[in-house]
Amino acid sequence: MRAPPRGDVSERELFTGGPEGLTLLQPPALPNTADPPRPAPQPPPRVATLPAAARQALTAVVDPIKRGHRKGALATALATELDRGTPFLFMPVLLGAGAIIYFRLPSEPDFQPLVGGVALTAALAALVPARRQAVRLVLIAVLVCLSGMALAKLETWRAGTAMLGGEISTRLSARVAAIEQMANGRVRLTMDVLATARPTLRYAPQRVRLTARRVPPGTIVGSHVEGVVTLMPPSGPVRPDSYDFSFTSYFDGIGASGFFLRGPDLVEGAPQPSLRTRLSNGLENVRNAIAARIRGHIGGPEGEIAAALVVGIRAGIPEDINEAMRRTGIYHIISISGLHMALVAGTVMSALRVAFAAFPGFASRRPVKKYAAGAALAAIAGYLFLSGGDVAAQRSFLMLAVMLTALLFDRGALTTRNLAISALVIMAVSPHEVVGPSFQMSFAATAALVSAYAIWAERRHVKKRAPPAQPRSLVGRGVAKAIGAVGALAITSVVAGVATTAFGVYHFQRVSPLSLLANLAVMPSVSILVMPFAVAGSLAMPLGLDAPFFYVMGKGLSLMIAVSSWISERSPIDAVGLISAHSLVLLTVALVFACMASTWLRLLAVPAVLAGALTLTDVRTPDVFVSEDGRLVAVPLGGGKLAVNRARPNAFTIENWKRAVRAEELVSPVNTTSKRSAGKGRSRTAQKLSNQAAVTDRDISGAEVEGEGIAPPKIRTQPPALPKAETGQDEAPSSGFDCHDSLCVAVHPSGAIVVHAANPAIARPVCEYAAVIVVDDATAKNICRREGMLVITKRDLAKFGSAVVNLGGGEVGSQGAEVHYAVGEPYRPWHAHRQFSREARGLAPYVKKSEAKSAEPRGSSQNARTPPPHHAED
């Protein structure tokens, strides 16, 4: 007979190593009175433990290593990811990578290799046996990537936008497709071209975007107008690797931009457009009417921002307010995105749930939650159409639509899979959006937030399984709720900011160090006063009861503007300079692994982050900037200064260049005009360069030689003394451009001389010592004979776009200067129009015969030679 168990032995110890939480329901053993009494067990000493989050992270690393001897940590993690459907989450990443590869190719690929590659890869993936799962996954990844390239090629072919080759003035007859009131008082019109006259363009663009000082009363979308306009081709990037306006215009269908010289005037009897066009015009008129009504209720900048939030019309927001919101990191509030869609859906759902709660009998028998979800789905669909439907709004609508549809079918709502589905839909329809900052930042922020929410939800689920804590008082619960709300908002801002910082720095060269403070300060007003009252006002507008709601909305926007302006004035930094493209790729890979993986494979993001951080500055800052029209040149002087050769440069271009080199101060040129500098105020360098240019002009007048009808000077004068020689300093001073008589000279901090000249005759004398010469003349050829001399002409810039120059040895006359253009050959479809301009063909600007005769010297027996009439291909 077995002896009874002793009372000092715990039955749980008999099952050490068994499944966690296993208990045996057996009666307790009776104490043995024969044994001496044992002392009461003492509690074990307290040992310092790690926080729960740290323990979970450490366990995720240690457990696979412990199991490594049995199956292999990597194989186990991969199998787990495969079971959880993680490969599907990588499909939009691979599809987007394929689209980016296509748009970054140096030349345009044909359809046949892409379609053939897709078909061949699909066949190989289908033929691979099931046991070769790894090979099949690799083939599927290649297939998805090739499909992204094929979809991008299809969209490029489908767009086929006819783009104007060169600047021209003509009489335009067009139908208005969009009207935008700008902050400077002008009106921007997007118009479909119907006809051109005097001259008639043989290759006219189908849609143009023009500005006008005013529009006739009664002009609406769909009106037929005429006027004399100046049309210009879409411009390229203001520097290499920056935002390409030609690319965007090509896929938006905009073939030219410009302005009205006379008009526009309304014309009666326009041809009737198609049904689709009439529907589109009607929607645009509704948007404009809503925007006008909102401006009437609110007024001022608040009214413009309210119109942007409701119908997506942002042209009227003053630039200083835009800049303040960019510096503080709250400009995402203006762009209709997930925040606005979620607030609209939440407002509609909450209002309907409260309304249904007033009828408990109905609410208890019916799925009122599904009814509210269906109404919210209809609300955000209407919001998408009214807002204009940019990429952020499309992404937000698709994701929320998937979430609400999941609620209708009792499925999980907020998942990374829903985000992947919305990304796949957008990439399939508009692959070109992948290379834009809006798409990248929008999906990066959303993916990071969804992943963070999943981690938080898992942690909350673990907490629910723990023993309940002591109940708190009413005040304690209120304080805990407030702290939780502020903490959630702070974590949301931090997660979204970290996920999008790299993309913002790469595309815009700027950061917002106080974005957390700004978001914490303005989001309560946006969530409580702005968006809910915007929804209520929009719903009450058909009844004419919208004024009180928009009044409250305007007060919330006034608070937002005041807070953003106050924080913007105290923002310590803004521009951070350039970062390398491969660093952005590494940081993107890190973000993908951190958000998509669900096992310890998330730790693969750590080396990618470290590699991306180490290569952030692996890019050279340009030493010289040149605009694509050849008129503007800038030289960084160091110490936060940027010198330019024009007193009134283009503001957008200069702002981009300043951020690229982290410049704060703009150094204007001295002696910008001959009339003002004549006699006094002229520097010695400008005088000597001007005098030498004048002597050279006299020497070459009337001569005739190779290629351009002029001969090199017979008398080669010595180059003028530079500021370095005059001052006796060891290094040449960097004081900006010194301009006189169409010649501007600047000294780079390295000592290299940078020159901008209006024509070849003025440029030739500086060939002896200048490192870089920019000639604002498309007919210039064979200017300098010195080997290693870098000469950039207007023809080069017309063909290849803006340029940056990296100086070599850092000495005067350095032989190592390298130029990098924004556009390469052979041209891609969105750059093909550049080859048809007069400047790209090396022709002089078109001059009318009347102007040529008036400029002809008296007594001349020959008529001035003028170029042929300007045709559309010019």
Side-chain angles (χ1 to χ4, degrees):
M1 182 174 179
R2 190 176 61 176
R6 296 178 53 184
D8 59 341
V9 178
S10 173
E11 295 180 354
R12 188 180 298 273
E13 295 178 358
L14 300 176
F15 298 93
T16 301
E20 183 181 356
L22 178 62
T23 59
L24 296 178
L25 301 178
Q26 296 182 0
L30 296 175
N32 190 353
T33 56
D35 294 336
R38 299 178 61 90
Q42 299 294 327
R46 295 181 61 87
V47 180
T49 58
L50 295 174
R55 288 201 306 272
Q56 292 176 4
L58 187 59
T59 303
V61 179
V62 174
D63 285 354
I65 297 176
K66 290 182 177 179
R67 296 191 302 267
H69 67 280
R70 293 197 301 267
K71 189 175 180 181
L74 181 59
T76 303
L78 291 176
T80 303
E81 298 287 359
L82 190 62
D83 292 339
R84 294 176 179 176
T86 304
F88 176 78
L89 304 181
F90 281 84
M91 288 189 63
V93 178
L94 296 171
L95 197 69
I100 292 175
I101 292 173
Y102 165 80
F103 290 119
R104 299 289 292 181
L105 289 176
S107 60
E108 186 67 18
D110 294 330
F111 266 115
Q112 289 84 353
L114 294 178
V115 175
V118 170
L120 178 61
T121 309
L124 290 177
L127 294 176
V128 170
R131 65 179 182 274
R132 301 288 186 179
Q133 193 174 33
V135 178
R136 176 177 290 184
L137 288 177
V138 171
L139 289 175
I140 291 176
V142 175
L143 173 63
V144 175
C145 190
L146 290 175
S147 300
M149 297 180 65
L151 288 173
K153 173 66 177 180
L154 179 64
E155 184 192 24
T156 303
W157 170 79
R158 189 175 68 244
T161 303
M163 305 178 77
L164 192 67
E167 181 178 342
I168 189 172
S169 296
T170 183
R171 185 168 187 85
L172 180 71
S173 175
R175 182 186 296 110
V176 178
I179 304 175
E180 297 174 281
Q181 299 288 338
M182 303 178 66
N184 58 7
R186 294 178 179 269
V187 182
R188 183 164 60 195
L189 302 173
T190 302
M191 301 189 298
D192 295 325
V193 177
L194 299 177
T196 58
R198 293 181 296 177
T200 299
L201 305 184
R202 289 183 288 177
Y203 303 101
Q206 296 179 350
R207 175 168 286 194
V208 297
R209 182 170 290 156
L210 306 173
T211 58
R213 294 182 179 273
R214 52 88 188 172
V215 293
T219 302
I220 60 174
V221 175
S223 298
H224 183 199
V225 299
E226 286 186 356
V228 179
V229 301
T230 293
L231 298 178
M232 296 174 290
S235 60
V238 297
R239 59 171 179 80
D241 297 325
S242 65
Y243 185 82
D244 191 348
F245 294 93
S246 296
F247 181 85
T248 305
S249 297
Y250 180 85
F251 288 100
D252 288 345
I254 306 296
S257 60
F259 51 90
F260 276 91
L261 295 173
R262 187 168 63 248
D265 301 318
L266 284 174
V267 178
E268 300 295 336
Q272 188 73 6
S274 63
L275 176 61
R276 180 180 178 181
T277 302
R278 292 199 300 271
L279 293 176
S280 176
N281 293 343
L283 179 60
E284 286 295 324
N285 286 324
V286 170
R287 295 178 62 207
N288 291 333
I290 294 175
R293 188 176 181 89
I294 293 174
R295 295 190 193 103
H297 287 313
I298 300 177
E302 294 83 358
E304 299 294 342
I305 297 177
L309 293 176
V310 176
V311 294
I313 298 177
R314 295 180 286 181
I317 302 176
E319 185 57 31
D320 58 338
I321 295 178
N322 283 330
E323 183 63 21
M325 289 189 290
R326 293 189 189 104
R327 288 177 63 89
T328 54
I330 62 172
Y331 194 76
H332 63 90
I333 296 175
I334 302 300
S335 175
I336 296 177
S337 58
L339 171 65
H340 308 82
M341 289 283 181
L343 289 175
V344 169
T347 301
V348 173
M349 286 192 67
S350 301
L352 288 178
R353 294 291 295 274
V354 171
F356 288 142
F359 305 93
F362 177 82
S364 62
R365 294 190 304 269
R366 299 290 183 180
V368 293
K369 184 178 180 180
K370 295 183 179 182
Y371 294 165
L377 181 60
I380 62 174
Y383 189 30
L384 175 68
F385 281 101
L386 287 179
S387 64
D390 60 2
V391 61
Q394 293 175 22
R395 186 266 309 161
S396 304
F397 168 76
L398 287 173
M399 187 171 181
L400 281 173
V402 173
M403 291 171 55
L404 295 173
T405 305
L407 287 177
L408 294 176
F409 292 94
D410 299 319
R411 298 296 181 93
L414 190 60
T415 63
T416 313
R417 182 178 297 271
N418 296 345
L419 178 65
I421 293 173
S422 63
L424 287 173
V425 173
I426 292 179
M427 291 179 190
V429 177
S430 303
H432 78 278
E433 298 285 0
V434 180
V435 300
S438 177
F439 180 95
Q440 295 173 7
M441 299 179 72
S442 176
F443 275 93
T446 307
L449 290 173
V450 172
S451 179
Y453 175 79
I455 297 174
W456 175 79
E458 181 180 354
R459 184 177 179 184
R460 187 177 63 172
H461 180 68
V462 173
K463 280 187 175 182
K464 286 183 177 180
R465 297 170 57 184
Q470 293 294 333
R472 298 177 181 177
S473 63
L474 181 61
V475 177
R477 290 197 299 270
V479 172
K481 289 286 186 182
I483 294 176
V486 174
L489 181 58
I491 292 175
T492 299
S493 301
V494 170
V495 170
V498 171
T500 58
T501 294
F503 299 100
V505 172
Y506 180 80
H507 290 287
F508 308 113
Q509 297 79 52
R510 67 192 311 167
V511 294
S512 303
L514 300 181
S515 61
L516 176 59
L517 175 61
N519 280 276
L520 289 176
V522 304
M523 286 310 298
S525 64
V526 173
S527 303
I528 299 174
L529 299 178
V530 176
M531 289 307 301
F533 283 89
V535 175
S538 301
L539 295 176
M541 189 177 294
L543 304 176
L545 304 176
D546 52 332
F549 300 103
F550 286 126
Y551 174 81
V552 177
M553 181 184 181
K555 295 302 179 183
L557 291 174
S558 298
L559 178 61
M560 185 188 76
I561 293 173
V563 171
S564 64
S565 300
W566 187 86
I567 298 178
S568 174
E569 294 171 356
R570 289 155 180 81
S571 183
I573 59 174
D574 181 22
V576 293
L578 302 173
I579 65 171
S580 60
H582 47 275
S583 174
L584 180 67
V585 172
L586 290 170
L587 294 176
T588 304
V589 170
L591 180 66
V592 168
F593 275 104
C595 297
M596 304 302 179
S598 59
T599 63
W600 65 269
L601 291 178
R602 285 177 176 170
L603 296 177
L604 294 177
V606 175
V609 168
L610 294 177
L614 292 175
T615 57
L616 273 175
T617 58
D618 190 15
V619 59
R620 179 167 178 176
T621 301
D623 296 316
V624 182
F625 295 93
V626 186
S627 64
E628 69 174 354
D629 61 0
R631 302 178 62 192
L632 184 61
V633 179
V635 177
L637 302 179
K641 296 182 179 180
L642 182 68
V644 293
N645 68 315
R646 297 182 66 85
R648 300 179 61 185
N650 180 273
F652 179 83
T653 302
I654 288 299
E655 184 64 26
N656 185 285
W657 291 354
K658 287 173 63 179
R659 290 200 302 268
V661 297
R662 291 178 292 178
E664 301 267 338
E665 180 182 351
L666 193 65
V667 181
S668 299
V670 296
N671 304 321
T672 53
T673 59
S674 301
K675 295 181 180 179
R676 295 181 182 178
S677 62
K680 27 181 163 175
R682 181 184 303 180
S683 68
R684 299 183 200 175
T685 306
Q687 289 178 355
K688 292 180 180 179
L689 293 175
S690 177
N691 293 338
Q692 184 173 353
V695 172
T696 306
D697 285 342
R698 289 194 298 270
D699 291 338
I700 66 175
S701 60
E704 189 82 15
V705 286
E706 49 202 358
E708 55 179 324
I710 55 176
K714 298 179 180 179
I715 302 176
R716 186 179 298 276
T717 60
Q718 296 296 326
L722 300 177
K724 177 179 179 180
E726 295 175 356
T727 59
Q729 299 176 357
D730 294 336
E731 294 185 359
S734 300
S735 57
F737 277 91
D738 189 350
C739 300
H740 177 67
D741 288 346
S742 302
L743 183 70
C744 293
V745 181
V747 183
H748 188 266
S750 65
I753 306 299
V754 180
V755 177
H756 178 272
N759 54 64
I762 296 176
R764 278 194 175 85
V766 299
C767 289
E768 294 296 328
Y769 58 84
V772 180
I773 300 178
V774 180
V775 185
D776 189 14
D777 191 341
T779 62
K781 299 177 183 177
N782 304 325
I783 297 175
C784 297
R785 298 178 180 274
R786 180 163 60 86
E787 185 178 357
M789 181 68 217
L790 179 58
V791 178
I792 303 174
T793 66
K794 193 164 189 174
R795 183 181 185 184
D796 299 329
L797 297 169
K799 291 174 63 178
F800 307 119
S802 59
V804 295
V805 179
N806 294 327
L807 300 174
E811 298 179 356
V812 176
S814 172
Q815 304 289 322
E818 296 181 352
V819 60
H820 301 276
Y821 293 100
V823 180
E825 284 186 323
Y827 291 120
R828 302 301 296 273
W830 47 89
H831 291 146
H833 65 281
R834 305 187 70 94
Q835 59 189 315
F836 301 112
S837 66
R838 295 184 62 86
E839 291 82 3
R841 291 182 289 165
L843 302 177
Y846 173 69
V847 181
K848 295 181 180 180
K849 293 184 178 180
S850 58
E851 297 178 359
K853 289 182 179 180
S854 62
E856 180 183 349
R858 292 185 179 182
S860 174
S861 59
Q862 297 181 355
N863 293 331
R865 292 181 295 176
T866 59
H870 195 132
H871 296 293
E873 64 268 24
D874 293 344

